[in-house]
Amino acid sequence: MSAGNNLVTINIDGKETQVPAGMNIIEAAALMGKEIPHYCYHPKLTVAGNCRMCLIEMGMVMKDRQTGEILLNENGKPKIGWAPKPAIGCGTNAAAGMYIKTDSPLVKDCQKGVMEFLLINHPLDCPICDQAGECSLQEFATEYGRGYSRFVEQKNVKPKRVQLGPRVTLDDERCILCSRCVRFCQEIVKDDVLGFTDRGSYSTLMCYPDKQLDNNYSLNTVDICPVGALTSTDFRFKMRVWFLKKTNSICTESSVGVNTVVGSREGKVYRITPRRNDAVNDTWMPDSGRELYKEVEREDRLIRYGWGEDAISFKEACLRFKEMLRGGRTAYVASSLMSVEEQFLFKKVVDNYGGPVYGVYHQRKGDGLLISTDARPNLRGALVTGLLKKLPDQDLSELLTRIHSEDVDNLVVYHEDVMQLGLSEEDLRKVRIIFIGTHENETSKIASLLLPLLTVFEKAGSFINQQFRLQKFHPAVPEPKGIRADIDLLHEVLTDKESDGVHIEVLWKEMHEQIPQFKEVNSFKGIPDEGILIENSAFKHLQFCEGKGLHFNPANR
Ligand code: SF4
Ligand code: SF4
Ligand code: FES
């Protein structure tokens, strides 16, 4: 049941607290900083109540049936009518006058009993289990378990290494039958492919005949599996999770701006997992977005300044860039993959050297969930910073006309492959191309100057998502040797002095002063982890292709 707005007073372990009426007791206790161990409960799924790990004692203040008056005991305190059996915290909703015990001897006994049952057939896989280090079964066994096993019989043997789909591997022996994965597929993705067969301790999770877990959200089942039964085929056996450094980031897959955590070790990214943000992506993310870390080490990564086979230093490249900008008429192709900070600086470059700016509206079929029709993370940023004055077209026909009228000497292309956007090699041979980007493409191959950029995993910055929510990301791994931050590159092009680059906070001070939409944000540090909605009335009239924010939480819909 979703929690209402009216507050009720309940008593948890002797302390009174106010919680929203209807909130379940796991969440209510968490508000007080108390953990009620649980497996099957997940805040974004319906309550199944099958693991019994969250047992609590529940009572209500006793009242006289005739008068309705509260009955008092000999100390003058209200008499509590305790339920004769423990109740499940996930299925008990807060009501006025409710009394809860989460750590009574009975509750502790129940927890020990449940743990013992769960571990009876559980394999001793911890040393080689990918979940070790973030496994609720491990953690609760230590905290709430008996500490030793009384089971002397043979353990059940179940299938191990079952491919449920292209990205998810199941170890059935580790499954505690919590049904989170089943409910996720039914309730969130509406792709009902998982179920249990057989009964009791022989129950086994599997895909329905002729079906597989292959939807683009399948890896969320791995995230929410409380044990190591479901593992990511990509991440499996690659790295122990306790070695991973966690860095908050934003997915660049679309304008939804899914909040993520990048797991890295010693300069290498190993996985991307979703970060909870109830206003954006709840606790989910698409599988396709998790693949994006592979772009860091992709073979076609641009990792040197220069052109063709020739390499020059960063300083030389900046000098050459400036000379080219000064020596001819320039047109610019901006990108909605740029961060807000890059867009702000790129606009300054354009203002400084002059010339028209074009953008491209990359649209594709959204999925109605976390992949929007707008295939870029920061179109709003280009509008807010003033880099683009209007919603861009889906091609570059205006630019093409300009090139045909021999009105352009230099074409600065940021990230885009303009050959995919209506310009031919013959058109491009008429201008000098300065390509600024992370990876090679057909346009970069014929560029007169290549200026490599950092990926989102190597730099700090911010994007403005489809809700006009400003969200920030941080560097998870160092930049490739010799490659400077994107904002340093643009800053260098703007200055004639010796420069060591620019600090992101310096940019934010300027943006705060110059951009009305950022009047509430005066520093990069000041952008909250969950992002902040910015004023967007100036853009209300624009016809964006994907409508308003998408998220799953039924309570928020
Ligand atoms: S699921 Fe947890 S308890 Fe089981 S083997 Fe893996 S880490 Fe150990
Ligand atoms: S595979 Fe994991 S999420 Fe699915 S039922 Fe088993 S323990 Fe629960
Ligand atoms: S969490 Fe309450 S029964 Fe599983």
Side-chain angles (χ1 to χ4, degrees):
M1 186 201 278
S2 66
N5 287 331
N6 54 323
L7 297 177
V8 290
T9 303
I10 63 170
N11 183 303
I12 301 183
D13 296 333
K15 279 203 183 128
E16 296 222 321
T17 183
Q18 287 208 314
V19 299
M23 174 176 266
N24 74 60
I25 300 303
I26 293 181
E27 297 290 350
L31 286 182
M32 288 178 78
K34 270 186 184 289
E35 176 187 66
I36 296 181
H38 57 273
Y39 292 113
C40 67
Y41 171 69
H42 186 280
K44 302 295 175 186
L45 300 174
T46 53
V47 171
N50 61 24
C51 75
R52 318 311 282 182
M53 190 62 202
C54 64
L55 287 169
I56 45 147
E57 283 194 81
M58 195 269 290
M60 294 296 285
V61 171
M62 292 176 83
K63 290 184 181 166
D64 187 299
R65 286 196 183 169
Q66 276 178 342
T67 63
E69 272 179 34
I70 292 177
L71 298 177
L72 302 177
N73 61 24
E74 53 280 9
N75 304 327
K77 296 216 169 124
K79 269 190 177 175
I80 312 301
W82 291 99
K85 290 193 298 185
I88 49 171
C90 61
T92 304
N93 302 113
M98 191 176 258
Y99 276 66
I100 302 290
K101 288 185 201 166
T102 72
D103 57 2
S104 64
L106 174 63
V107 169
K108 286 184 177 161
D109 237 27
C110 292
Q111 290 165 341
K112 282 200 183 101
V114 172
M115 283 310 303
E116 186 163 32
F117 273 122
L118 287 176
L119 290 171
I120 277 181
N121 282 303
H122 201 80
L124 291 169
D125 278 354
C126 295
I128 48 104
C129 178
D130 277 298
Q131 192 80 358
E134 53 185 12
C135 173
S136 300
L137 196 64
Q138 253 186 351
E139 282 160 24
F140 296 162
T142 316
E143 217 147 315
Y144 306 100
R146 199 174 290 276
Y148 59 89
S149 173
R150 297 183 291 177
F151 190 71
V152 289
E153 292 82 2
Q154 283 284 319
K155 285 181 188 256
N156 266 351
V157 175
K158 287 188 189 173
K160 290 174 100 70
R161 290 178 294 278
V162 179
Q163 284 304 319
L164 287 186
R167 294 172 292 279
V168 180
T169 307
L170 164 71
D171 183 318
D172 253 317
E173 284 184 352
R174 297 179 193 157
C175 174
I176 58 167
L177 308 168
C178 73
S179 81
R180 277 184 179 188
C181 54
V182 178
R183 280 173 285 146
F184 172 80
C185 290
Q186 288 170 344
E187 296 166 16
I188 306 295
V189 201
K190 317 274 186 243
D191 182 26
D192 193 3
V193 290
L194 294 175
F196 297 115
T197 57
D198 293 327
R199 306 185 61 163
S201 50
Y202 295 100
S203 285
T204 305
L205 178 75
M206 58 186 351
C207 283
Y208 293 143
D210 300 328
K211 288 198 172 179
Q212 54 167 342
L213 179 59
D214 57 1
N215 64 63
N216 194 29
Y217 290 83
S218 69
L219 284 166
N220 292 279
T221 60
V222 174
D223 301 333
I224 60 173
C225 178
V227 293
L230 297 177
T231 50
S232 153
T233 310
D234 180 40
F235 179 68
R236 214 169 135 83
F237 302 133
K238 296 252 170 71
M239 183 52 63
R240 309 291 357 208
V241 295
W242 51 84
F243 289 132
L244 291 179
K245 182 182 83 172
K246 293 180 175 171
T247 309
N248 284 359
S249 192
I250 301 295
C251 182
T252 54
E253 195 182 19
S254 81
S255 63
V256 172
V258 167
N259 291 211
T260 60
V261 174
V262 177
S264 63
R265 187 188 183 198
E266 292 176 0
K268 188 175 164 68
V269 180
Y270 284 90
R271 70 172 182 186
I272 302 177
T273 45
R275 177 162 51 96
R276 182 170 177 176
N277 186 335
D278 290 352
V280 180
N281 54 291
D282 281 357
T283 52
W284 320 120
M285 81 175 287
D287 294 357
S288 39
R290 302 178 196 242
E291 292 277 311
L292 295 182
Y293 78 87
K294 293 180 181 165
E295 67 182 34
V296 175
E297 294 186 359
R298 231 167 63 191
E299 272 187 4
D300 58 351
R301 185 79 197 270
L302 291 174
I303 46 166
R304 33 164 227 271
Y305 301 96
W307 55 91
E309 293 300 307
D310 294 317
I312 53 177
S313 71
F314 170 73
K315 291 273 173 196
E316 286 168 332
C318 291
L319 269 178
R320 195 177 164 87
F321 188 12
K322 284 194 263 193
E323 277 165 20
M324 290 169 85
L325 290 175
R326 286 193 193 111
R329 293 155 304 169
T330 305
Y332 308 81
V333 178
S335 163
S336 303
L337 275 169
M338 295 162 126
S339 66
V340 167
E341 296 76 10
E342 287 165 69
Q343 287 165 337
F344 176 67
L345 279 174
F346 197 63
K347 178 172 185 302
K348 281 191 179 192
V349 172
V350 173
D351 291 347
N352 198 47
Y353 293 95
V357 187
Y358 301 93
V360 186
Y361 204 163
H362 288 272
Q363 296 183 23
R364 49 105 194 270
K365 199 169 175 301
D367 66 357
L369 296 174
L370 292 176
I371 296 184
S372 60
T373 317
D374 176 0
R376 292 289 184 266
N378 201 23
L379 174 60
R380 302 332 180 257
L383 296 165
V384 169
T385 52
L387 178 59
L388 296 181
K389 305 283 182 250
K390 61 178 179 73
L391 277 185
D393 299 329
Q394 290 187 49
D395 61 26
L396 291 167
S397 41
E398 257 186 73
L399 170 63
L400 190 59
T401 314
R402 199 177 270 263
I403 292 177
H404 285 170
S405 11
E406 300 188 352
D407 206 8
V408 182
D409 302 310
N410 302 315
L411 183 63
V412 178
V413 181
Y414 215 104
H415 282 305
E416 301 287 357
D417 184 2
V418 292
M419 288 229 221
Q420 301 283 325
L421 300 164
L423 274 68
S424 68
E425 186 170 343
E426 196 189 332
D427 298 324
L428 293 178
R429 293 276 180 207
K430 295 183 180 144
V431 295
R432 292 185 301 178
I433 295 171
I434 298 142
F435 183 82
I436 312 177
T438 50
H439 293 81
E440 214 174 78
N441 61 26
E442 293 309 308
T443 307
S444 74
K445 285 182 189 158
I446 54 167
S448 307
L449 181 60
L450 288 174
L451 299 166
L453 293 179
L454 303 182
T455 64
V456 71
F457 306 102
E458 297 153 333
K459 63 188 178 188
S462 55
F463 295 133
I464 299 174
N465 83 348
Q466 59 178 1
Q467 306 157 311
F468 280 89
R469 179 176 290 271
L470 175 69
Q471 308 192 102
K472 66 180 172 184
F473 53 87
H474 302 275
V477 290
E479 64 282 353
K481 199 161 175 271
I483 305 301
R484 295 281 297 275
D486 313 6
I487 53 174
D488 287 352
L489 170 76
L490 296 171
H491 177 74
E492 189 79 21
V493 177
L494 284 164
T495 177
D496 284 327
K497 294 186 230 137
E498 272 292 303
S499 153
D500 281 334
V502 63
H503 197 282
I504 197 164
E505 291 297 5
V506 174
L507 294 180
W508 267 97
K509 191 164 180 299
E510 280 184 49
M511 289 199 285
H512 168 65
E513 283 160 9
Q514 294 172 23
I515 298 174
Q517 284 80 10
F518 293 155
K519 67 174 186 296
E520 305 294 333
V521 191
N522 58 14
S523 66
F524 180 71
K525 208 169 149 214
I527 303 172
D529 283 341
E530 68 282 8
I532 179 170
L533 285 176
I534 58 163
E535 214 283 313
N536 60 57
S537 52
F539 311 102
K540 280 259 159 70
H541 63 287
L542 297 176
Q543 296 289 311
F544 291 105
C545 58
E546 70 277 82
K548 53 184 193 299
L550 307 163
H551 48 91
F552 293 106
N553 189 346
N556 295 337
R557 266 185 208 147

